[in-house]
Amino acid sequence: MKGRQQSLARFERQQSGSDLSVLTDAERDVYRAIDDGEYGPREYADETDRAPGTVGNLLRRARDKLDGGGGS
């Protein structure tokens, strides 16, 4: 997804009260930190001593699960 589509998807998730319990602890932490705008992916990776690719993968899986894609 790009720009406006991501913003719309995020807005819809927030409005629907997405059930974050379907996420792993790591996915939930990354999702909250980045989608709530507290951090960017690289900043969060640095802050948590994770590789940027790991943070990106966790975020993608979280979004997939919350968007109904089922994740991996």
Side-chain angles (χ1 to χ4, degrees), residues 2-37:
K2 300 262 182 190
R4 285 192 227 176
Q5 289 176 324
Q6 284 181 334
S7 296
L8 177 59
R10 185 179 310 121
F11 173 78
E12 288 172 343
R13 281 193 301 269
Q14 290 168 346
Q15 295 304 308
S16 68
S18 292
D19 181 12
L20 300 182
S21 69
V22 299
L23 304 177
T24 65
D25 290 340
E27 290 167 347
R28 189 177 311 111
D29 291 344
V30 168
Y31 177 80
R32 284 182 175 156
I34 295 173
D35 262 21
D36 288 347

Side-chain angles (χ1 to χ4, degrees), residues 40-58:
R42 286 189 180 272
E43 293 170 316
Y44 189 75
D46 289 343
E47 187 73 23
T48 59
D49 294 323
R50 290 185 169 115
T54 300
V55 170
N57 288 335
L58 288 167

